[in-house]
């Protein structure tokens, strides 16, 4: 969700075009599954991402590596789309296109992507309880959490969705207390 705004702006039309195509051809589920798997695959193979992002590597070489690694694993239309990105020298935007496409899918399916920063990892019970509360608050059919652990928060958690930030962190409460004490002590 947190990507370079310029990259996101360039990637958005590609994602929208693929989204519209997938709806028209009734293959949205296949392409969505491919992109969810590709997202995981790219996160696990930084060498491939680095190779695809390298401007010195020729388009043909990038196309060949994608054909060898992905062609048999993904839908034909998804692979054709990747080749379009290669031919237009936009394969370096693949992660941003995936993110943008999945956001369109989630928005259509009433699935909310919510970023949560926490001081320590959630248990499954805590995660499920938070998801239920967020479903009630947002009226979303489904909630997808993007959880990052940040020990500097000391305790509690921070929720970011769309333009809202809800801060339940101990760090925030201590900062508020410090400001309050500063104003009280200045009198």
């Amino acid at each position: 969700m947190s990507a370079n705004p310029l990259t996101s702006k360039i990637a958005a039309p590609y994602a929208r075009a693929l989204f519209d195509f997938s709806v028209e051809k009734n293959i949205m589920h296949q392409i969505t599954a491919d992109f969810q798997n590709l997202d995981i695959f790219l996160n696990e193979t930084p060498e491939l991402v680095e190779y695809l992002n390298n401007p010195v590597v020729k388009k043909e070489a990038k196309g060949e590596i994608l054909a060898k690694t992905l062609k048999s694993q993904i839908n034909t239309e998804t692979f054709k789309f990747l080749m379009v990105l290669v031919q237009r020298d936009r394969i370096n935007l693949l992660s941003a296109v995936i993110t943008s496409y999945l956001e369109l899918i989630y928005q259509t399916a009433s699935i909310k992507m919510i970023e949560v920063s926490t001081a320590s990892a959630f248990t499954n019970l805590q995660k499920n309880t938070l998801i239920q509360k967020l479903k009630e608050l947002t009226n979303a059919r489904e909630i997808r959490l993007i959880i990052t652990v940040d020990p500097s928060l000391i305790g509690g958690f921070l929720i970011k969705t769309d333009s809202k930030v809800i801060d339940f962190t101990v760090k925030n409460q201590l900062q508020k207390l410090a400001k309050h004490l500063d104003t009280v002590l200045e009198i």
Side-chain angles (χ1 to χ4, degrees), residues 9-179:
K9 192 170 188 167
I10 297 168
Y14 288 97
R16 172 51 80 177
L18 182 62
F19 175 80
D20 292 343
F21 175 79
S22 70
V23 169
E24 181 184 316
K25 297 293 183 187
N26 199 23
I27 55 172
M28 189 182 346
H29 294 294
Q30 295 97 315
I31 291 179
T32 301
D34 285 344
F35 269 21
Q36 287 171 330
N37 292 332
L38 258 174
D39 195 30
I40 293 166
F41 179 69
L42 292 175
N43 285 328
E44 292 174 352
T45 55
E47 308 84 24
L48 177 63
V49 174
E50 197 174 304
Y51 184 81
L52 294 174
N53 290 346
N54 189 337
V56 178
V57 177
K58 295 191 182 313
K59 294 177 193 178
E60 295 78 20
K62 292 177 183 181
E64 285 176 25
I65 195 81
L66 288 174
K68 288 178 184 173
T69 56
L70 297 174
K71 190 171 186 174
S72 63
Q73 308 296 317
I74 60 177
N75 182 299
T76 307
E77 299 303 328
T78 306
F79 184 74
K80 286 179 184 176
F81 178 77
L82 295 180
M83 291 299 101
V84 167
L85 291 179
V86 168
Q87 291 307 311
R88 293 187 178 184
D89 267 337
R90 296 293 193 201
I91 196 66
N92 60 320
L93 300 175
L94 182 56
S95 291
V97 170
I98 289 171
T99 301
S100 188
Y101 176 83
L102 291 176
E103 284 175 358
L104 286 168
I105 292 293
Y106 296 156
Q107 185 179 12
T108 302
S110 187
I111 299 173
K112 280 269 192 210
M113 295 291 288
I114 298 179
E115 291 181 63
V116 179
S117 299
T118 177
S120 58
F122 286 134
T123 64
N124 283 337
L125 178 64
Q126 291 171 322
K127 193 186 304 184
N128 291 337
T129 304
L130 179 60
I131 288 171
Q132 284 308 116
K133 289 291 181 192
L134 290 171
K135 277 183 183 179
E136 292 170 17
L137 291 171
T138 61
N139 293 323
R141 189 174 57 76
E142 191 176 328
I143 301 287
R144 294 274 168 106
L145 294 180
I146 300 170
I147 300 174
T148 47
V149 177
D150 181 1
S152 72
L153 298 177
I154 305 169
F157 55 92
L158 176 81
I159 299 172
K160 296 179 199 169
T161 177
D162 299 328
S163 61
K164 294 180 185 171
V165 176
I166 304 168
D167 196 337
F168 294 114
T169 62
V170 173
K171 180 180 180 180
N172 181 48
Q173 292 172 0
L174 289 173
Q175 288 172 339
K176 285 181 180 176
L177 179 62
K179 283 180 186 176

